[in-house]
Amino acid sequence: QQKTHADIYEIKPAKPYTGSYNHVVNQAQREQNRHARPAIKGQLPNVSKYKTVFVGGPIWWNEYPMIIYTFMDHENLNHKTLIPFTTSEGSGLANTASTLRKKYPQATVKQGFTATGTTVKNHPAQVKARVDSWLNRQGY
């Protein structure tokens, strides 16, 4: 956001994930198995005014979290430039580009960025340098 000066909208669940790491992981796995669409807290942003939308989130079992699908079910991002970014512990960008292309066939999906959550936590300056380099390649 510092480099792009973009607006930020954080997708938050209406019912927060709580409890231990394992409890949250189990909840996320159940949601994925059911193809759930958890409710989003608050009002969704007006994306019609944007030409480019960065779509970010963690990757769980090679997928966006189900709440990202809730967002995508309610927002038309066709005719926009979409740029995925993720954290994971091994899945990388997973299927984010193909998911976005399938959901929004009239959008342009650009090369995404990924870093492991462990690297973000333990080496934030290194990740920031990688993000800056990636954004430079995107024209920012």
Side-chain angles (χ1 to χ4, degrees):
Q1 194 277 335
Q2 291 172 353
K3 191 163 180 74
T4 64
H5 305 289
D7 293 337
I8 295 176
Y9 174 78
E10 182 179 354
I11 299 170
K12 293 182 180 183
K15 181 181 176 189
Y17 294 99
T18 60
S20 70
Y21 175 79
N22 287 335
H23 183 269
V24 171
V25 166
N26 290 335
Q27 179 181 348
Q29 182 71 72
R30 283 190 306 275
E31 288 176 355
Q32 191 177 55
N33 289 342
R34 293 189 330 248
H35 301 283
R37 295 298 189 265
I40 294 173
K41 180 180 180 179
Q43 190 172 12
L44 292 173
N46 176 7
V47 297
S48 66
K49 62 183 179 179
Y50 301 109
K51 293 179 183 176
T52 300
V53 177
F54 288 79
V55 181
I59 296 298
W60 295 341
W61 304 281
N62 294 308
E63 289 280 346
Y64 276 125
M66 295 295 101
I67 199 162
I68 300 292
Y69 287 94
T70 303
F71 173 80
M72 291 191 301
D73 287 350
H74 289 89
E75 296 295 331
N76 182 356
L77 301 178
N78 276 307
H79 307 288
K80 298 186 182 302
T81 298
L82 306 179
I83 306 175
F85 65 98
T86 68
T87 59
S88 75
E89 286 304 321
S91 300
L93 285 163
N95 64 0
T96 55
S98 62
T99 296
L100 292 171
R101 284 186 187 103
K102 183 177 178 183
K103 182 71 178 176
Y104 307 110
Q106 297 167 340
T108 300
V109 179
K110 289 191 147 189
Q111 177 63 42
F113 176 85
T114 189
T116 67
T118 301
T119 303
V120 171
K121 180 180 176 183
N122 295 332
H123 305 284
Q126 178 188 68
V127 174
K128 183 183 181 315
R130 288 182 49 219
V131 168
D132 286 345
S133 176
W134 168 68
L135 287 171
N136 286 340
R137 290 191 305 274
Q138 301 293 329
Y140 291 95

